[in-house]
Amino acid sequence: MTKLSYLHEPGVMQNLAARYELNEIYTYTGNILIAINPFQRLPHLYDTHMMEQYKGAALGELSPHVFAIADVAYRAMINEGKSNSILVSGESGAGKTETTKMLMRYLAHLGGRSGVEGRTVEQQVLESNPVLEAFGNAKTVRNNNSSRFGKFVEIQFDKSGRISGAAVRTYLLERSRVCQISDPERNYHCFYLLCAAPPEEREKYKLGSPESYHYLNQSKCYKLDGVSDAEEYLATRRAMDIVGISEEEQDAIFKVVAAILHLGNIEFAKGEEIDSSVIKDEKSRFHLNTTAELLKCDPKSLEDALIKRVMVTPEEIITRTLDPEAALGSKDAFAKTIYSRLFDWIVEKINVSIGQDPNSKAIIGVLDIYGFESFKHNSFEQFCINFTNEKLQQHFNQHVFKMEQEDYEKEQINWSYIEFVDNQDVLDLIEKKPGGIIALLDEACMFPKSTHETFAQKMYQTFAKNKRFIKPKLSRTNFTISHYAGEVTYMADLFLDKNKDYVVAEHQDLLTASECPFVAGLFPALPEESSKSSKFSSIGSRFKLQLQSLMETLSSTEPHYIRCVKPNSVLKPFIFENVNIIQQLRCGGVLEAIRISCAGYPTRRTFYEFLLRFGVLAPEVLERNSDDKAACQMILEKMGLKGYQLGKTKVFLRAGQMAELDARRTEVLGNAARTLQRQIRTYIARKDFVLLRKAAIQLQSCWRAISACNLYEQLRREAAALKIQKNFRYHTARLSYLTLQNSAIIVQAGMRAMTARSEFRFRKQTKAAIKIQAHVRCHREYSYYRRLQKAAIVTQCGWRRRVARKELRNLKMAARETGALKEAKDKLEKKVEELTWRLQLERRLRTELEDTKAQEITKLQEALRSMQIQVEDANARVIQEREASRKAIEEAPPVIKETPVVIQDTAKIDALTAEVESLKVSLLSEKQASEEAKKASADAETRNMDLAKKLQEAEGKVDQLQDSAQRLEEKLSNLESENQVLRQQALTMSPTGKSISARPRTTIIQRTPENGSILNGETKPAHDKALVVSNPKEPESEEKPQKSLNEKQQENQDLLIKCISEDLGFSGGKPVAACVIYKSLLHWRSFEVERTSVFDRIIQTIASSIEAPENNDVLAYWLCNASTLLMLLQHTLKANGAASLTPQRRRSSSASLFGRMSQGLRASPQSAGLSFLNNRMLGRVDDLRQVEAKYPALLFKQQLTAFLEKMYGMIRDNLKKEISPLLGLCIQAPRTSRASLVKGRQQASAVAQQALIAHWQSIVKSLNNYLNMMKANYVPAFLVRKVFSQIFSFINVQLFNSLLLRRECCSFSNGEYVKSGLAELEQWCCYATEEYVGSSWDELKHIRQAVGFLVIHQKPKKTLNEISNELCPVLSIQQLYRISTMYWDDKYGTHSVSSDVISSMRVLMTEDSNNSVSSSFLLDDDSSIPFSVDDLSKSMQQVDVADVEPPPLIRENSGFVFLHQRSDL
């Protein structure tokens, strides 16, 4: 920076800003390095390659860098053998710590040496940083990780320049931060790290969140952005392991930290005595006990040490108690003392771990210390920090002046003494004895009654005439010191408390007696004479001694300076705040160093650099062969400069002379540039003129060509005009002639037309007269014929009416007779008894068969067992005989006396041998008998298996019989229901029974166990109360309200019937009509009355709506409404009350259509209106509460079920009718297509191929139309699936039966045609989705397998097993035989299956006919209803009827207000 032309503050700021924008963060000011914090990572500046570049390079040879300063210090130490020091200073957040790390990295790179356990000393020092930062760094206003202590690292080197040891010295830890912090700062990091430790460790230390501790919650800042305290805690633990702190010591350290937190939460209250204090509450007592537990001392002793003091007098020892305020101060002093001792122990442990070399040759010290601080509120810590910076600034000024002096002497120039700012007066103000500020502060601390006010007044009196001391006007305790960097105002309120450094004897004794060795080691026992009384010790005095020791160390070394600068206060990159930076440069003394340089010769250039830059001012000098010094002399003389000096190698210029030379140089270069510009402009102008002339010539030639073209165009137009005039005149004359000719022709034609019209008019009138005459005669005859016809019809109608009335009377009489029904019932009962008898017979036969089988098996097992016993006996006898023979031979005498004896023995042996042979024969016979018994047992097992199979078949038949019996029971139940309905109708139509509606008033009595019930189809005796009791004696005035209510109910029913007769549509996918009917019936309590006509009217409305069976939209609409209403009834109605009119036996839900229709059509139309309308509000409709339904409601449910099945069948049958004609066309390919296939022509056009599948596409279209129609009417997906399932079954039956009945259909080409059509159906199933189609595709299994068999190749090679089990497992043997015998290949001429397979099929068919198996090969179409009410109810989703908006017809009617109430709920 000293090479700048203008060396002043704006020039310095402009230079720093320009370099900062280029990420050039380092700048030299002489030998001083300015480092601006980039607030971002710049790894390319600090890699190994960069270290190699600066290794051995002279200062200034390369770009400014921190490595250059470290290299200069190292080279000076090696070459001169003298210790060096590097002073890194700057305010908080300027990057001092990172700069220190880079310095140590480079020094380790130059003189690295492996340390203990493979780690270098530099690595050990760096590894100690996380530990020191955790216990010595905190968040301040300006920095999130500010070091609250000074650090001086001594790196020791041996004779060869290798690192041999290191030591860390710390200065002035900010102890007051332990107890007092301001918002938004934080306490030391270790407290927050411990609160973020794992749960088990926090539980061990009994810690909670930071918000719960007084030493931490004084500020609302608990976490740092982008920093995880939990991770930092683990990192600190690992760093403590690395520096050699054991697990036990770590645990003890964090116990002390936790004890400090608990100690801060202890509060005191006034005691019973005057000026006494006690523990405030149980919470404080808990923290006191926890602190004692962590420090392993007695809780009572800890309490006494906090609230009591011992005074030793010559006469006696006095114990006094402290007031709450004094006890609080004692507690805080105790906490600060413990933390300070703990920090000193950690530093000492790190130094022991790193290791020091007492025999080192030299050291390089790196000082990382806080910079000058000036806040809004400055206290004792800022006072000490600024005192340190005053000392360092004095050392800095002296060193800068000394370097200037050395440079002048080295170049041997004439120079005079340069004045520089000396701050010795400020240092005297602070540290002078006995009148300095520190001395006054120590004196005030030694007097018990001194306060901060008396201390401030003492300073005001002592330094009233000192120009560096200023008393603020509006404060009684503040004071201002004029430092070298500016004035700073200090608050003396806490100076006395923060300056006291002595340890209270009670605290010392308490912790010395601790059972924890670590805590006791922090407070070693004092000598006896010092332990009896507390001697005064101040932080100020101790810090002054430390600072004096540091200055002595720095003075004994060669210093190098690095000034770290923080470019902005928001800590973000690429932001350069000029005011902030200029203030830091002033505080760092950089501008003062520049001023010192400007006072002498600030600008210095070597002769070569000077000539290279300013040689253009005197070119003739460079052409001479004179030396560089003489050439520089001539140039300066030519420019007329005065006051400069020439040294041995450099030119020394006064301030401003460099700028003057630059101006003259710029003028010379400007004149040369103008000369060059003039020549260039001449060349450009000449070039432009030549181009312009060439362009003018080209334009002239083009213009002449255009003129000639225009003249030619004019002549051509004149000739054309003459030709046009001639043709126009010709055209005009021709047009006039043609007009005249047309006029003559028109006149002639008009005359002829008038004559023709007159003739035509006459003929037309004549013809009209003739036609009128003919019509009059025809009308007369036709009228006579119509009168005869009408008379005949009237006669026929009268006769037919008479016959019909007679037949009607007969039918009514027949309806009253139940004999026929009873006879049918008896027949069914007999059939059921017969089936029951057959079932019992089958069961008895099966039981007897099992008993016979068990007896045979038992007999065979006994026979086998007896045979085995005989065989064993025979074997035993043979063995005995052999033993007897052997013994006889052994016992025989050795000498044979006479022949008879020999003969006798031989006879005995022969007898034994014969007996043995006979036993062998008997053994063989027994074995043969055993084999026969085994064979008999195997045969018996085979028979048993056959019997088991027959038993299974019998069980299947029994199940079938049970199903048949169940169906018969259902039919019987239906007949009984019909019989009961007929009885009810007979009662209502009997001449003795009168109409209920004719009575004046009825009282409805609910059926209870007291008034009567029906059991097993029988009524109670006549003496029980009747259901309907008339009371004709009541006054006529009570009949009118009842009548009005009935009329109102009847009007509401009429309006409901009129409303549902219209198409109400759907609301949110829910049918409006069904929901309105359900809500109305539930509100009117129609389900719980004995007689009502509303159900019959609803059924009649539905019946009238579906009279047109061809209107599928109406059928689908009512199918959706009926299914929804039936589902709601299924969930609402209980059938308990139905036992009064139906048998006790529950009827199956799948009753026949005839039974339900007969009940609906035969219901009595004379049911009277019910007076159930009242003012009671019902519960929510969508709750579907259970209602005990009466007979009309159950009958309505059965009729609704019948209509549902009827509408379902009508839709299904309509679809069948629509696709039936198409199915006949789909089973056989068109003749043209088949002919082309037989002849082998493959070149059919696209139109022909489309015609082949046109019928199938028509079927798909019909299916799709019905699907869309049912979707549009929201028919339940369950019913849609059932419809298409039966339709696909119908398609399967029709196609399959047609295939088996027509031989021309059983061909190869026809199979391909049907297969392509089935592919269309499969594609439609995929389009329609499984939700609406379900398993309909599986219903085509017969035709699919049959078609697959037709189109398969190499049929003769297929076996019967492959065909029946793999290709066509669904088809029966009769069906396979039919297809195999009818098959013919009209495309390739191949054969059907082999003759062996045909023979096997015949054999199987014969066996099936013997076993009474049906031999029919055709399929039957199932037209039954494939579902029940329960199935439908379970498959449908619950309908929320409360959300359905009522239709407009009843929306405003007062009788249907409940519909709005339900929708609003």
Side-chain angles (χ1 to χ4, degrees), residues 23 190 214 314 780 969 988 1030 1110 1318 1366 1387 1455:
N23 276 337
C190 61
H214 173 67
R780 185 176 59 197
E969 289 177 357
T988 58
S1030 64
E1110 302 82 15
L1318 294 177
E1366 297 177 4
K1387 188 172 182 179

Side-chain angles (χ1 to χ4, degrees), residues 68-131:
I69 300 297
D71 190 78
V72 169
Y74 182 77
R75 300 301 168 190
M77 182 196 69
I78 294 298
N79 296 332
E80 301 176 7
K82 184 179 179 182
S83 298
N84 283 253
S85 61
I86 303 174
L87 282 69
V88 183
S89 63
E91 72 171 42
S92 179
K96 302 186 297 297
T97 304
E98 291 297 324
T99 302
T100 303
K101 293 178 183 178
M102 296 304 160
L103 288 170
M104 288 190 290
R105 279 188 57 204
Y106 186 78
L107 293 175
H109 178 72
L110 295 178
R113 179 175 179 179
S114 298
V116 181
E117 297 180 359
R119 297 191 307 272
T120 62
V121 173
E122 173 260 350
Q123 288 176 341
Q124 295 180 67
V125 174
L126 292 180
E127 288 164 354
S128 67
N129 282 333
V131 181

Side-chain angles (χ1 to χ4, degrees), residues 1243-1252:
Q1243 59 274 16
S1245 63
V1247 178
Q1249 293 294 333
Q1250 186 67 23
L1252 286 176

